[in-house]
Amino acid sequence: MSLTKQEWLALEKKAHELRNLCLDTTYWAGSGHIGGGMSSMDILTVLYHKYLRIKKDDPNWADRDRFILSKGHAGIAYAPVLCNYGYNDIEQLKTFNHTNSKMGIHLDSNKVVGVDASTGSLGHGLPIAAGTGLAARVLKKSYNTYCLMGDGELGEGSNWEAAMTINHYNLTNVISIVDRNHKMIDGDTEDVMKLEPLADKWTAFGFTVKKVDGQNIRELCEAIDFAHASDNPVLILADTKKGAGIKLMEDNYKWHYGAINDEIYAGAKKDLEEYYAKRIERVEREAK
Amino acid sequence: MAGGFVYTAVESTAMSTAEYYGNTLAELGREHPEIVALTADLATSTKIGIFQKEFPDRFFNVGIAEQNMFGCAAGMAKAGCVPFLSTFSVFASLRCADQLHTDICYQNINCKVIATHAGTSFGQAGSTHHAIVDLAVARSMPNLVVICPADGIETANAVRAAYEHNGPVYIRINRGFDRVLYSDADYGYQIGKAVELHEGSDVTVIATGSCAFQALQAAMFLENVQGIKVRVLNMHTIKPIDKEAILKAVKETGKIITAEDHNVIGGLGSAVAEVIAECDEPCKFKRLGIPDKFAPIGLHEDIMSIIGIDSNGIIKAVHGMLGVNTDDDDNWDDEV
């Protein structure tokens, strides 16, 4: 399923819209995990607007593809995606993190429509994804499960327990993605706790690893297409930038979680426009 | 030192408690194709081999990886399966407490945890394998129903009731053979409803798990030998606790003793104490259980005796609460 220029442009436009919505939500909330939200946004966009087989009018459709956001703190990016998609009233984003809101930092599967698993405690997503993958076999369903992990959370051993399960049962219906933004709360991943050689680790656990630029929509699509065709479980190692699109935040671990005032908000809005323009230039340059 | 009543596997001809579970799970599996079984390298120990053999495509051994097992089960339940997870209580409640809390209870999913080797029933294995805090952990998790059956028959009833309940259930059962309390499954088992095993008005013993049999033995001894009338409640469900039965016992006996194979903190005793403390009736109260320390290594029945949750320990506690002085009874001539 090759990506046409028109599709690529449409996805760029959607990603731009969602980045803005993530920034707005952070502004309305006063603060949030915007760094890891922005690094994930292209992945979320590609999944929700090209690959996930889901129905707008039937969010609980039994045969739908599942998406498990293992890096649950990226709820500030995920909530805008789900509201923009139509699963939840977009006005709810203005209540994000407010008392009695349905939406807090980590989205609740029983409160937010479209959330397949309540996550937040790290290292939980891949086991759940393995479970939905196994269930598809038992229930004879053809849906896929996509699981998006952060890189820092790979310190949790439960991920590797699940990796063994996915490999053991050859769960090719589970597509695992790591948002490799290289940053965690206390600094660079390699300073806090070495992850490298990360691709080799996944390979050793039986996965076929596809390394891509996680801020390149075409590369992401090619990797997902590859995973669909693979007869071996695939791990997409998406090299990203924390805070992608906002200069102040890019590659800055201090923006794992941050507060946004009017000045930062205005600057970030401007940055996102520039970022979008550059991204469109890339499409024009590289699209076939 | 052994307890006053024999409690050993070697003398039992019945199925072990876990075998009752395994057989019931297989029966349920035949009736309900959405049931799946997961274990973490403990299929043999938790006696689910019969399900494994009959339904190999619905059986998943995830290896020694409890956190992953609970996460997988959550995903499977979310997709429409009804997972039964089988592992030791100490691991189910602690090793993967985060997954039990977040993946299963927070999401309120339809998943059944069958936690074997409960309390000190794997006594020889030492405290790494004694589950003495699992009731406290499980009881404090919202949405989770917590059950501690008294024997094999009650385990079968509890497992069936757990399937019927739409939501997460934690059932702790013992390793090996429980003394047989019930010979017939048809005694009206209901989640959240205590079973009166013995009538009495002088004092109430509320017991759970293996202590229920011991409490009944104690009550029979006390009535037959000393004329003390002990009400015995088998509190098989720790949450939701049967407040009605407890309040009735408070009003009618005014004296309650709890007995459990668990730390005295956080389990049955605490659950009963909470009900008593919030009612407006006076009540004498004592908890029997493991006194907030790690239990010794040994045979289950020996440990129960050492910590005073066997029938002798319960008799002693009843005497203490009623002010019966047994020290002066040195006259053995009246003994049969």
Side-chain angles (χ1 to χ4, degrees):
Chain A
M1 202 192 305
S2 63
L3 188 70
T4 66
K5 182 180 176 184
Q6 193 180 8
E7 275 182 303
W8 192 352
L9 285 169
L11 287 168
E12 289 288 357
K13 189 178 176 189
K14 182 56 79 176
H16 177 58
E17 182 186 355
L18 290 169
R19 273 192 289 272
N20 272 283
L21 207 47
C22 176
L23 173 62
D24 292 345
T25 305
T26 311
Y27 179 65
W28 293 324
S31 59
H33 292 86
I34 188 168
M38 287 299 187
S39 65
S40 293
M41 196 55 96
D42 290 300
I43 298 163
L44 292 169
T45 303
V46 163
L47 289 175
Y48 274 83
H49 294 279
K50 181 167 170 65
Y51 287 102
L52 287 180
R53 289 170 295 177
I54 51 178
K55 292 181 177 177
K56 285 191 183 182
D57 58 352
D58 188 6
N60 295 317
W61 177 41
D63 295 330
R64 72 188 185 281
D65 283 343
R66 268 65 175 180
F67 172 69
I68 312 293
L69 182 69
S70 191
K71 48 175 291 184
H73 52 282
I76 203 141
Y78 190 26
V81 170
L82 293 173
C83 290
N84 177 271
Y85 186 77
Y87 276 162
N88 300 273
D89 182 359
I90 203 136
E91 289 297 308
Q92 283 187 15
L93 294 177
K94 291 178 181 168
T95 72
F96 197 93
N97 277 2
H98 296 189
T99 302
N100 285 327
S101 172
K102 285 186 178 177
M103 293 177 176
I105 291 171
H106 307 102
L107 301 185
D108 181 343
S109 65
N110 289 322
K111 290 183 181 166
V112 183
V113 178
V115 175
D116 283 320
S118 303
T119 51
S121 182
L122 295 170
H124 284 225
L126 199 59
I128 294 173
T132 56
L134 288 170
R137 291 222 176 134
V138 173
L139 301 170
K140 298 185 172 31
K141 292 188 179 294
S142 61
Y143 65 77
N144 288 320
T145 299
Y146 299 83
C147 179
L148 177 58
M149 292 165 275
D151 49 1
E153 72 165 314
L154 296 179
E156 297 283 6
S158 47
N159 290 302
W160 303 100
E161 293 179 4
M164 289 173 74
T165 297
I166 291 168
N167 176 47
H168 181 82
Y169 289 102
N170 195 34
L171 294 176
T172 52
N173 59 1
V174 176
I175 295 162
S176 311
I177 307 169
V178 172
D179 177 355
R180 180 75 171 110
N181 64 28
H182 302 268
K183 301 284 183 282
M184 48 207 293
I185 293 177
D186 283 342
D188 281 23
T189 57
E190 301 315 286
D191 293 336
V192 176
M193 183 53 65
K194 276 189 181 64
L195 286 171
E196 295 297 340
L198 188 53
D200 292 348
K201 287 188 169 89
W202 285 100
T203 302
F205 273 76
F207 285 70
T208 301
V209 177
K210 285 293 283 184
K211 288 176 88 167
V212 297
D213 175 354
Q215 255 75 61
N216 185 321
I217 280 170
R218 188 173 68 180
E219 287 190 24
L220 284 168
C221 291
E222 285 170 354
I224 294 169
D225 290 341
F226 174 85
H228 286 165
S230 175
D231 56 7
N232 190 56
V234 170
L235 181 283
I236 299 172
L237 190 52
D239 194 59
T240 61
K241 270 185 198 259
K242 199 139 191 163
I246 301 171
K247 289 172 190 160
L248 177 74
M249 302 175 192
E250 273 189 2
D251 276 337
N252 183 349
Y253 76 88
K254 290 182 178 170
W255 275 97
H256 175 84
Y257 184 98
I260 290 182
N261 59 24
D262 290 347
E263 189 186 347
I264 292 172
Y265 179 70
K269 279 281 179 192
K270 190 163 160 275
D271 288 350
L272 287 180
E273 292 305 319
E274 283 179 24
Y275 184 63
Y276 180 50
K278 282 183 187 165
R279 302 261 308 226
I280 295 300
E281 280 173 25
R282 181 168 68 189
V283 179
E284 295 293 347
R285 201 168 52 243
E286 297 178 9
K288 291 164 189 165
Chain B
M1 120 181 168
F5 294 92
V6 176
Y7 188 89
T8 54
V10 289
E11 293 196 1
S12 174
T13 54
M15 283 192 293
S16 71
T17 302
E19 282 175 301
Y20 275 97
Y21 158 53
N23 287 351
T24 308
L25 179 62
E27 284 170 19
L28 286 168
R30 287 172 209 130
E31 298 162 20
H32 308 286
E34 76 279 16
I35 288 179
V36 293
L38 293 91
T39 190
D41 194 36
L42 289 174
T44 307
S45 305
T46 62
K47 310 296 182 196
I48 58 172
I50 184 169
F51 185 98
Q52 176 184 9
K53 195 174 172 188
E54 207 167 323
F55 308 108
D57 296 337
R58 289 152 57 193
F59 170 85
F60 302 95
N61 192 336
V62 301
I64 304 168
E66 291 80 8
Q67 297 177 59
N68 177 48
M69 173 168 67
F70 276 57
C72 283
M76 296 184 89
K78 277 277 189 183
C81 295
V82 179
F84 278 72
L85 300 97
S86 309
T87 185
F88 294 175
S89 314
V90 69
F91 308 138
S93 59
L94 296 175
R95 186 63 181 246
C96 45
D98 192 15
Q99 281 77 11
L100 177 61
H101 167 275
T102 301
D103 301 354
I104 291 174
C105 295
Y106 178 39
Q107 299 197 95
N108 198 18
I109 59 169
N110 199 17
C111 193
K112 320 301 170 188
V113 179
I114 313 299
T116 68
H117 297 58
T120 57
S121 65
F122 197 5
Q124 304 96 316
S127 290
T128 60
H129 285 59
H130 295 171
I132 66 164
V133 305
D134 65 320
L135 291 178
V137 171
R139 196 169 73 85
S140 60
M141 293 205 183
N143 297 328
L144 189 59
V145 168
V146 182
I147 300 175
C148 181
D151 69 359
I153 292 275
E154 188 156 84
T155 295
N157 279 339
V159 169
R160 283 200 165 271
Y163 174 78
E164 297 298 330
H165 175 80
N166 185 19
V169 179
Y170 178 93
I171 301 177
R172 58 137 45 186
I173 60 175
N174 286 334
R175 173 178 186 259
F177 296 78
D178 279 305
R179 289 300 294 261
V180 176
L181 192 59
Y182 298 107
S183 54
D184 184 345
D186 189 18
Y187 59 93
Y189 180 90
Q190 258 186 286
I191 288 176
K193 285 287 173 197
V195 179
E196 188 175 288
L197 298 176
H198 193 268
E199 289 183 6
S201 53
D202 294 331
V203 59
T204 302
V205 175
I206 302 177
T208 196
S210 45
C211 292
F213 177 86
Q214 299 296 328
L216 178 59
Q217 295 296 305
M220 288 160 61
F221 172 86
L222 287 164
E223 180 161 50
N224 295 338
V225 177
Q226 296 173 327
I228 297 170
K229 296 184 187 314
V230 179
R231 179 180 303 181
V232 177
L233 297 179
N234 169 17
M235 193 64 79
H236 52 72
T237 307
I238 308 300
K239 196 176 86 170
I241 196 87
D242 188 347
K243 288 183 185 172
E244 196 182 333
I246 297 168
L247 293 175
K248 190 164 178 281
V250 168
K251 281 179 186 159
E252 293 175 3
T253 70
K255 299 176 193 68
I256 291 179
I257 295 166
T258 57
E260 62 193 309
D261 186 9
H262 186 272
N263 194 340
V264 289
I265 296 173
L268 171 71
S270 296
V272 173
E274 287 159 14
V275 175
I276 296 172
E278 289 181 347
C279 80
D280 293 330
E281 303 283 341
C283 185
K284 280 192 174 181
F285 180 67
K286 181 165 183 61
R287 294 167 298 157
L288 300 180
I290 301 164
D292 195 25
K293 62 182 185 183
F294 291 102
I297 290 168
L299 294 173
H300 189 203
E301 62 267 33
D302 290 343
I303 295 173
M304 288 181 75
S305 176
I306 291 165
I307 60 180
I309 56 170
D310 65 343
S311 55
N312 282 342
I314 293 167
I315 289 167
K316 196 174 166 191
V318 169
H319 285 160
M321 185 167 279
L322 295 176
V324 175
N325 187 351
T326 56
D327 294 341
D328 297 332
D329 184 14
D330 293 330
N331 179 12
W332 287 83
D333 294 341
D334 59 352
E335 299 291 337
V336 177

